[in-house]
């Protein structure tokens, strides 16, 4: 079952056949249109499964004789077919299906879905519903960012075993020097260390088993490691509190309930039966959770990012596309039903080729802007050199390995990136591969000169003594996520206050039912809904016919970031980010994990497909 | 924070006294015909027993079960992972990746043959040779069967592993298949829900580690203790159902008063789960409490029993004064046998209370 393996020289492999725009150069390798030189000579390293992500992902890289990555291949290795399943169903149910695309960023797909249906049917939601939706969406951002950093990403930077040799007093001094967080006494760290020691001595290391402990790629002193492990456990306890905001308004988490036309929870502040609705007790609970998460961001998350960052500040690899081409859709409408740039608190725009002074507008309806390609994906198009806008998306699954793949169809040893190699399609914006996510949002906000994004970024860079260019890195991606968590906490305070003010002014409405009944809908219509999921730009396109879903297509953040190559040979954000990174030891793929994790990959989201005719997919008999 | 490494430590921390523990060992020894020396042996074994290894695998899924699991408030998942079980493999949180991760599976199979629990979130797709879910270059279904061979028991987490869930909804393009359809020779406990409630999940895990056996299961393989009652039976809005007070449309006066969501398509009457009793996220709420009907997410094939809102909306207005049994009977034609049972039960209750009235 060994899947990470180092194979022989692959210099004999042909350049990707379907990449006419990629010119072979005199020296080794080929240049991609988006500015990377791919060289697949050297040793091939395979990481499968990539763990600490949502879903299933495989990464293959080639390293040269100095163990520097010179070619990168990322592969989404699962497909679920949610869009096929949505066909002919009630559009009012679509949020529940699409929410199950992802249980991690749970709710974002549901929000995107109800917006798409409301856009198609021309439904305006009440102001309270907008505030409550924003509170849920922002709570999700904070929750997702905290869980991502501490539980999915931190172990790439933090050596758990090293924490055993820390001096608890010195750890306490370190913690108190960077934050006023109360859980920082020498006794606290001593107790934690004792528990950790017993845990390690038991010989049953649980999720920490076979980690890369002791690798030279880890740079924190034992005291910082102990502090970080303490916060790993504290964050595990705390994250369950944040999501109670979803439980209050949506009844549960993961997978809270949503509603086309508003939100399902009614507001009752004074009347009979208020205990069955959003009342003062419920609002007070939301209020106290917002206080707690703001404090956690300010006193734990941000100081940890700065402390850990200070030890890694010369590890500035992994920028990939972030300094070149980034895309943000914008989200968090200040006022209900207005999705124009001006009204969105998270920024919208596209930057291409690193030109920060030129921000392009984004139109989800323009068939020339967002298109998906399948040349290197396990799907079939009539003409695979062309992309399709999601409203006209066609997909026919077609699983096959390229001619130079090693192994068999059901036992892949090495993939052939010259052929089809992923269940992820390749979305492009005007033909450009784009990075999406917190860093993309903050780069767009920074480039727009918006103080709420520019100032925190400049402060982080200044405090770490780094130039602006350092932003475009694995570390920059991780820092942007922390800044966004902090920003989101303050926005939650804003929308909570706004909700209270609106209720105080006598407005209790939470849903608009004018167009609830399908008989009030047009015979045929289409719409698009978009959000900024924690991982980046997310949109759903829907076509409705005779009251049923005729067509449903999602283009999700990890589809953008984890895309395979396109017909022109552009590589996607994951692949670009790995390029030119030196590895300490290719047998311990810590650097690969570190950079891939900085995107917070979500594979269940990215591997989707829509069949134009909705027919059951043909069974393919393979060995 | 106390360090807990053995079975004994764990049960002591859960409030079991030393005396009860000794008694338990004596009784076990006696029942096995081992005598007083046997009791000491059992006690010694339990006091030094290793934590049960758990291998948590992911097939086609959305990770909502893992996310739910980490929300557990009692016990905290931190304590479950550090003290009660040894979660040696879980793609979502484990430090190792690639071959270092895979090596753990091989080692567990050899070292803990027949002694580890295989927890499965998600399911294997069988179409395309299984390659709709590739894990380590191979079909997930192979890895699943391989790890099941030497497992003590299997926990099917959530609706995906138990029934198939969303990817198995019609037309199920990947041929996503519940795990009991591909593994036949091991005890499988189903913990359905999309996702299951966090404390139900940790309740099942701690039950197994504490008592050393699987909980009692119903005919569908679900633990009786959490899945034997309908949400409707314990719903706090139930008196409004009985009184004929219903929400007629979203955000109406009845919605604000917390009336019954039955006419909005609530599937509480046909759904077996602990939502209305345990509730969600530390008891904060559950779907019906927050104003939306139950979508029936712990029931087999619930995605194809929809639409979620229309199923019961065409029931004629119930008179406020109408007898609850008539309501139950009117609803029965649409919801099925479960409501008939409810009507019958209510009738019995009324007869009993009438008799009581006479005697009073």
């Amino acid at each position: 079952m060994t899947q990470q393996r180092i194979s022989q020289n692959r210099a004999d492999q042909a350049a990707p056949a379907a990449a006419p725009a990629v010119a072979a150069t005199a020296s080794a390798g080929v240049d991609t249109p988006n500015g990377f030189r791919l060289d697949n000579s050297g040793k091939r390293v395979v990481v499968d499964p990539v763990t600490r992500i949502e879903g299933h992902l495989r990464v293959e890289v080639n390293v040269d004789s100095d163990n520097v990555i010179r070619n990168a291949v990322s592969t989404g290795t699962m497909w679920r077919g949610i869009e096929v399943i949505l066909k002919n169903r009630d559009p009012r149910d679509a949020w529940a299906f699409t929410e199950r695309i992802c249980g991690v960023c749970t709710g974002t797909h549901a929000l995107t879905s109800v917006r798409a249906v409301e856009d198609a049917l021309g439904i305006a939601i009440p102001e309270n519903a907008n505030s409550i939706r924003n509170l849920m969406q922002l709570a999700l951002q904070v929750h997702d960012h905290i869980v991502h950093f501490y539980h999915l990403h931190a172990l790439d930077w933090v050596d758990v075993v090293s924490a055993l040799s820390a001096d608890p007093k010195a750890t306490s001094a370190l913690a108190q020097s960077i934050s006023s967080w109360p859980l920082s006494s020498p006794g606290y760290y001593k107790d934690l260390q004792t528990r950790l020691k017993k845990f390690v001595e038991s010989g049953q290391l649980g999720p920490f088993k076979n980690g890369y402990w002791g690798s030279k790629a880890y740079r924190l002193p034992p005291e910082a490691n102990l502090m970080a492990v303490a916060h790993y456990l504290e964050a595990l306890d705390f994250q369950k509190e944040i999501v109670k905001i979803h439980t209050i308004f949506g009844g549960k988490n993961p997978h809270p309930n949503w509603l086309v036309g508003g939100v399902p929870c009614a507001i009752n502040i004074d009347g009979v039966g208020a205990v069955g609705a959003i009342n003062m007790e419920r609002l007070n609970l939301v209020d106290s959770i917002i206080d707690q998460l703001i404090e956690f961001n300010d006193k734990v998350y941000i100081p940890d990012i700065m402390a850990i960052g200070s030890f890694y500040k010369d590890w500035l690899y992994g920028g990939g596309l972030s300094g070149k081409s980034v895309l943000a859709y914008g989200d968090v409408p200040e006022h209900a039903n207005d999705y124009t740039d001006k009204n969105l608190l998270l920024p919208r725009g596209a930057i291409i080729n690193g030109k920060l002074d030129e921000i392009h507008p984004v139109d989800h309806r323009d068939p020339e802007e967002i298109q998906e390609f399948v040349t290197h994906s396990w799907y079939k198009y009539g003409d695979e050199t062309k992309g399709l806008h999601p409203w006209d998306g066609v997909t026919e699954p077609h699983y096959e390995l390229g001619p130079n793949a090693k192994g068999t169809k059901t036992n892949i040893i090495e993939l052939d990136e010259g052929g089809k190699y992923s269940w992820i399609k390749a979305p492009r914006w005007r033909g450009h591969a784009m990075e999406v996510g917190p860093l993309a949002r903050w780069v767009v906000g920074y480039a727009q000169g918006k103080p709420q994004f520019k100032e925190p970024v400049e402060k982080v860079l200044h405090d770490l003594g780094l130039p602006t260019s350092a932003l475009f890195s694995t570390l920059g991606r991780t820092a942007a996520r922390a800044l966004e968590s902090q920003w989101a906490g303050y926005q939650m305070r804003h929308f909570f206050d706004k909700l209270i003010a609106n209720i105080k002014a006598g407005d209790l409405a939470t849903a608009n039912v004018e167009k609830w009944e399908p008989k009030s809908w047009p015979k045929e219509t289409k719409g698009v809904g978009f959000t900024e999921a924690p991982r980046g730009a997310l949109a759903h396109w829907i076509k409705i016919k005779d009251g049923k879903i005729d067509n449903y297509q999602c283009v999700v953040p990890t589809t953008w970031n984890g895309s395979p190559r396109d017909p022109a040979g552009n590589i996607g954000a994951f692949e670009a980010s790995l390029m030119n990174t030196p590895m300490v030891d290719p047998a311990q793929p810590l650097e690969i994990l570190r950079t891939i994790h900085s995107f917070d990959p979500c594979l269940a989201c990215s591997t989707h497909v829509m069949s134009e005719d909705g027919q059951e997919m043909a069974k393919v008999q393979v060995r | 924070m106390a360090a807990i490494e053995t079975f004994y430590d764990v049960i002591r921390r859960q409030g079991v006294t030393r005396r009860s523990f000794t008694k338990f060992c004596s009784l076990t020894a006696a029942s096995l015909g081992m005598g007083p020396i046997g009791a000491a042996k059992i006690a010694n074994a339990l006091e030094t027993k290793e934590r049960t290894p758990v291998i948590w695998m992911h097939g086609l899924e959305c990770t909502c079960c893992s996310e739910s699991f980490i929300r557990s408030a009692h016990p905290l998942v931190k304590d479950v992972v550090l003290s009660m079980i040894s979660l040696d493999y879980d793609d979502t949180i484990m430090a190792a990746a690639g071959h270092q991760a895979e090596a753990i599976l091989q080692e567990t199979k050899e070292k803990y043959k027949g002694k580890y629990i295989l927890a499965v979130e998600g399911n294997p797709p069988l179409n395309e040779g299984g390659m709709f879910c590739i894990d380590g270059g191979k079909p997930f279904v192979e890895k699943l069967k391989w790890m099941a061979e030497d497992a003590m028991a299997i926990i099917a987490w959530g609706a995906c592993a138990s029934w198939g869930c969303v990817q198995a909804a019609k037309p199920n393009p990947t041929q996503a298949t519940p795990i009991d359809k591909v593994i036949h020779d091991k005890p499988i406990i189903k913990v359905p829900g999309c996702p299951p409630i966090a404390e139900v999940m940790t309740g099942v895990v701690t039950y197994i580690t504490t008592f050393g056996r699987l909980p009692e299961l119903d005919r569908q393989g679900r633990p009786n203790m959490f899945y034997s009652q309908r949400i409707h039976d314990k719903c706090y809005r139930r008196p409004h159902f009985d009184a004929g007070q219903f929400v007629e449309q979203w955000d109406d006066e009845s919605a604000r008063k917390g009336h019954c969501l039955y006419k909005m398509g609530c599937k509480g009457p046909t759904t077996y789960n602990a939502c209305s009793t345990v509730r969600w996220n530390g008891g904060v709420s559950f779907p019906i409490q927050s104003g939306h009907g139950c979508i029936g997410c712990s029931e087999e094939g619930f995605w194809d029993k929809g639409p979620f809102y229309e199923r019961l909306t065409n029931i004629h207005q119930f008179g406020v004064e109408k007898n609850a049994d008539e309501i139950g009977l009117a609803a029965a034609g649409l919801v099925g046998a479960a409501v008939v049972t409810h009507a019958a039960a209510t009738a019995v209750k009324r007869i009993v209370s009438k008799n009581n009235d006479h005697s009073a």
Side-chain angles (χ1 to χ4, degrees):
Chain A
M1 295 285 283
T2 295
Q3 287 307 326
Q4 183 203 330
R5 49 191 303 284
I6 298 168
S7 68
Q8 296 306 304
N9 188 303
R10 299 223 313 171
D12 56 336
Q13 187 182 315
V22 179
T25 56
S27 60
V30 290
D31 291 314
T32 73
N34 56 347
F36 297 89
R37 171 156 298 185
L38 305 176
D39 179 357
N40 65 1
S41 62
K43 291 182 294 188
R44 186 85 155 189
V45 177
V46 179
V47 186
D48 185 359
V50 174
T51 51
R52 274 184 284 132
I53 59 165
E54 197 292 323
H56 298 267
L57 176 72
R58 176 185 179 101
V59 169
E60 300 189 12
V61 300
N62 291 73
V63 293
D64 65 16
S65 53
D66 295 322
N67 291 333
V68 177
I69 296 172
R70 298 301 186 193
N71 179 37
V73 178
S74 88
T75 298
T77 52
M78 67 187 275
W79 177 73
R80 296 166 72 215
I82 307 286
E83 290 93 335
V84 177
I85 290 159
L86 274 166
K87 192 173 161 79
N88 288 323
R89 294 184 190 259
D90 188 328
R92 297 170 300 177
D93 288 356
W95 68 262
F97 286 79
T98 61
E99 184 168 52
R100 270 73 181 181
I101 287 174
C102 185
V104 178
C105 55
T106 180
T108 291
H109 282 283
L111 174 59
T112 312
S113 178
V114 294
R115 281 181 180 165
V117 176
E118 286 156 6
D119 179 57
L121 301 175
I123 296 173
I125 65 165
E127 204 59 53
N128 288 331
N130 185 60
S131 292
I132 289 170
R133 286 179 178 185
N134 284 341
L135 282 167
M136 292 175 76
Q137 172 75 343
L138 290 161
L140 174 71
Q141 294 271 10
V142 176
H143 177 270
D144 208 64
H145 290 348
I146 288 175
V147 168
H148 175 262
F149 177 66
Y150 286 101
H151 307 115
L152 306 182
H153 197 22
L155 300 182
D156 301 329
W157 311 97
V158 174
D159 184 335
V160 176
V161 174
S162 154
L164 299 177
S165 57
D167 171 6
K169 272 188 200 160
T171 308
S172 171
L174 169 70
Q176 290 179 10
S177 72
I178 60 171
S179 166
S180 61
W181 184 242
L183 295 174
S184 62
S185 70
Y188 174 75
Y189 285 115
K190 178 80 189 155
D191 283 352
L192 173 76
Q193 196 181 41
T194 304
R195 187 177 192 186
L196 262 186
K197 272 184 181 160
K198 289 196 175 178
F199 180 75
V200 172
E201 283 163 7
S202 77
Q204 291 184 290
L205 274 178
F208 302 140
K209 192 179 167 87
N210 283 10
Y212 311 103
W213 319 125
S215 164
K216 281 182 190 158
Y218 286 120
R219 294 187 184 174
L220 297 183
E223 285 70 27
N225 281 314
L226 181 59
M227 181 180 78
V229 171
H231 294 169
Y232 175 103
L233 296 172
E234 286 171 39
L236 196 53
D237 286 351
F238 178 58
Q239 54 85 28
K240 75 183 195 326
E241 302 300 316
I242 303 170
V243 299
K244 287 178 179 171
I245 288 176
H246 281 194
T247 321
I248 291 162
F249 295 121
K252 69 198 265 259
N253 172 285
H255 297 336
N257 290 316
W258 297 72
L259 188 71
V260 168
V263 289
C265 55
I267 296 170
N268 186 345
I269 296 297
D270 297 306
V272 171
V275 290
I278 296 301
N279 57 35
M280 206 62 234
E281 179 271 334
R282 300 274 95 177
L283 291 168
N284 283 341
L285 184 47
V286 175
D287 192 23
S288 84
I289 295 166
I290 294 171
D291 283 345
Q292 290 172 55
L293 63 85
I294 287 173
E295 190 186 19
F296 192 90
N297 280 330
D298 289 355
K299 294 186 178 174
V300 184
Y301 191 3
I302 295 287
D304 280 352
I305 287 288
M306 296 304 290
I308 293 172
S310 70
F311 291 100
Y312 284 97
K313 62 183 182 180
D314 61 334
W315 204 87
L316 292 173
Y317 304 102
L321 297 182
S322 65
K324 297 171 184 277
S325 299
V326 294
L327 174 68
Y329 290 168
D331 197 0
V332 192
E334 174 67 51
H335 306 290
N337 309 307
D338 178 355
Y339 298 100
T340 58
D341 300 15
K342 256 194 332 200
N343 190 51
L344 300 174
L345 300 184
L346 276 174
R348 172 154 55 196
I351 293 173
I352 47 178
N353 301 324
K355 291 179 189 158
L356 293 182
D357 55 354
E358 193 180 0
I359 299 166
H360 303 272
V362 174
D363 181 357
H364 291 89
R365 297 162 201 274
D366 183 345
E368 301 301 316
E369 291 195 17
I370 296 164
Q371 295 182 336
E372 289 195 295
F373 295 82
V374 298
T375 318
H376 293 279
S377 309
W378 283 318
Y379 308 104
K380 217 178 203 172
Y381 275 3
D383 178 356
E384 300 206 348
T385 61
K386 293 206 169 79
L388 294 173
H389 183 266
W391 266 330
D392 302 312
V394 174
T395 307
E396 191 185 333
H398 182 71
Y399 176 71
E400 64 171 21
L401 300 181
N404 294 311
K406 293 185 180 170
T408 66
K409 270 182 147 182
T410 52
N411 184 15
I412 303 166
I413 308 295
E414 281 177 20
L415 286 160
D416 172 13
E417 63 273 23
K420 291 179 181 290
Y421 66 93
S422 181
W423 282 118
I424 305 179
K425 286 182 178 181
R428 296 292 183 260
W429 186 80
R430 293 198 186 277
H432 297 273
M434 311 294 278
E435 175 170 332
V436 301
L439 180 56
R441 293 192 278 263
W442 283 66
V443 167
V444 172
Y446 179 90
Q448 287 170 337
K450 290 185 172 166
Q452 64 271 38
F453 302 105
K454 198 171 164 86
E455 286 168 12
V457 166
E458 282 172 344
K459 184 172 188 312
V460 167
L461 292 169
H462 174 266
D463 290 354
L464 288 173
L466 290 168
T468 308
S469 59
L471 189 59
F472 309 114
S473 66
T474 291
L475 210 58
R477 216 170 275 118
T478 301
R481 187 171 285 112
L483 291 178
E484 187 170 78
S485 184
Q486 190 178 39
W487 173 87
Y490 288 111
Q491 294 307 317
M492 289 173 73
R493 168 60 54 218
H494 166 71
F495 282 104
F496 180 80
D497 292 346
K498 197 172 170 176
L499 177 65
I500 296 288
N502 212 43
I503 295 171
K504 200 173 173 184
D507 179 4
L508 300 181
T510 54
N512 171 2
V513 295
E514 278 170 37
K515 293 180 180 165
W516 178 252
E517 291 302 328
K519 59 179 183 287
S520 65
W521 303 347
K523 191 174 160 49
E524 272 188 66
T525 181
K526 61 183 180 180
V528 58
F530 64 86
T531 51
E532 282 291 339
R535 291 160 185 78
L538 168 66
H540 292 185
W541 285 258
I542 189 173
K543 281 184 171 174
I544 299 171
K545 193 176 176 185
D546 298 326
K548 303 282 184 200
I549 295 171
D550 190 43
N551 213 339
Y552 203 102
Q553 179 77 355
C554 317
V555 180
V556 314
T558 301
T559 317
W560 287 101
N561 289 335
S563 87
R565 286 143 214 224
D566 62 32
N570 291 297
I571 58 175
F574 285 0
E575 293 178 347
S577 70
L578 292 169
M579 293 301 296
N580 306 317
T581 302
M583 296 183 73
V584 168
D585 176 5
Q588 296 194 334
L590 204 47
E591 295 85 353
I592 294 175
L593 295 177
R594 186 177 280 171
T595 290
I596 292 294
H597 286 157
S598 73
F599 288 92
D600 193 4
C602 183
L603 273 297
C605 293
S606 60
T607 49
H608 62 279
V609 62
M610 192 283 304
S611 167
E612 195 180 41
D613 54 10
Q615 282 175 0
E616 188 163 356
M617 301 306 169
K619 282 186 191 175
V620 178
Q621 206 63 43
V622 289
R623 278 186 292 167
Chain B
M1 285 181 277
I4 299 157
E5 286 146 331
T6 67
F7 173 85
Y8 173 68
D9 290 332
V10 172
I11 62 168
R12 279 303 299 270
R13 215 168 70 84
Q14 288 175 342
V16 175
T17 63
R18 173 79 203 171
R19 190 184 164 83
S20 306
F21 173 72
T22 316
K23 199 173 166 188
F24 166 77
C25 293
S26 306
L27 283 171
T28 309
S31 68
L32 296 171
M34 293 167 77
I37 298 164
K41 273 187 182 165
I42 289 174
N44 184 51
L46 295 178
E47 281 169 0
T48 55
K49 188 178 155 191
E50 287 181 300
R51 283 172 286 135
T52 305
V54 175
I55 301 295
W56 187 313
M57 291 177 35
H58 298 252
L60 287 189
E61 43 91 359
C62 76
T63 315
C64 72
C65 298
S66 290
E67 286 284 334
S68 186
F69 186 69
I70 67 171
R71 312 278 196 268
S72 178
H74 52 273
L76 285 168
V77 80
K78 172 180 77 182
D79 296 327
V80 175
V81 172
L82 290 183
S83 306
M84 306 177 97
I85 59 171
S86 190
L87 187 56
D88 294 337
Y89 185 98
D90 181 344
D91 316 16
T92 308
I93 61 166
M94 67 195 299
H99 78 96
Q100 285 95 343
E102 302 256 303
I104 295 169
L105 297 179
Q106 184 73 49
E107 192 189 319
T108 305
K109 257 176 90 77
E110 287 164 10
K111 192 173 170 192
Y112 297 101
K113 192 175 170 69
K115 291 178 185 164
Y116 62 88
I117 291 171
L118 181 62
V120 187
E121 176 175 358
N123 53 33
L126 302 181
N127 254 1
E128 205 62 277
M131 296 301 267
F132 282 126
C133 187
I134 307 167
D135 195 323
K138 294 176 181 173
F140 169 72
V141 67
E142 269 185 29
K143 189 169 175 175
L144 173 67
K145 287 178 175 172
W146 183 65
M147 283 312 288
E149 281 169 10
D150 294 315
M152 172 176 80
I154 296 168
I155 303 176
W157 284 140
C160 288
S162 298
W163 313 128
C165 203
V166 66
Q167 58 268 339
K170 285 171 189 164
N172 189 0
T174 62
Q175 206 186 318
T177 307
I179 59 165
D180 64 342
K181 298 284 190 287
V182 295
I183 295 164
H184 308 285
D185 56 351
K186 293 285 168 184
I188 296 176
I189 171 171
K190 292 181 177 180
V191 188
C194 186
I197 299 168
E199 287 77 15
V200 166
M201 298 177 82
T202 52
V204 167
V205 168
T206 51
Y207 184 98
I208 296 170
T209 53
T210 305
F211 301 111
R213 57 177 157 86
L214 295 186
E216 205 174 286
L217 306 180
D218 67 12
R219 279 191 302 175
Q220 294 191 62
R222 306 171 297 188
N224 267 328
M225 55 185 156
F226 297 120
Y227 293 90
S228 59
Q229 290 175 315
R230 294 180 305 159
I231 287 173
H232 186 63
D233 294 330
K234 295 288 167 70
C235 183
Y236 83 110
R237 296 192 190 220
R238 175 60 181 275
H240 295 296
F241 174 89
D242 290 343
Q245 296 170 320
F246 295 96
V247 175
E248 302 289 339
Q249 63 177 26
W250 301 109
D251 200 27
D252 67 4
E253 225 12 68
S254 290
R256 290 176 194 173
K257 286 179 178 164
H259 289 170
C260 180
L261 291 159
Y262 191 61
K263 293 167 100 175
M264 305 308 288
C266 182
K267 307 295 185 286
T270 53
T271 303
Y272 288 78
N273 205 339
C275 299
S276 54
T277 41
V278 176
R279 304 198 188 196
W280 282 81
N281 307 99
V284 166
S285 186
F286 72 109
I288 295 167
Q289 184 173 342
S290 291
H292 195 285
C294 166
I295 65 169
C297 77
S298 52
E299 291 300 310
E300 184 168 9
F302 76 98
W303 294 107
D304 293 323
K305 293 176 182 170
F308 297 130
Y309 302 105
E310 286 191 350
R311 190 166 167 205
L312 300 175
T313 48
N314 55 349
I315 291 177
H316 292 299
Q317 172 99 28
F318 297 138
V320 173
E321 299 303 321
K322 245 184 182 176
N323 181 305
D325 289 346
E326 289 173 50
I327 296 162
L329 287 169
L334 292 138
V335 235
V339 173
V340 178
T341 314
H342 148 69
T346 312
V348 170
K349 201 171 73 188
R350 195 179 50 187
I351 291 162
V352 171
S353 63
K354 265 185 183 169
N355 290 343
N356 287 347
D357 286 346
H358 286 302
S359 64

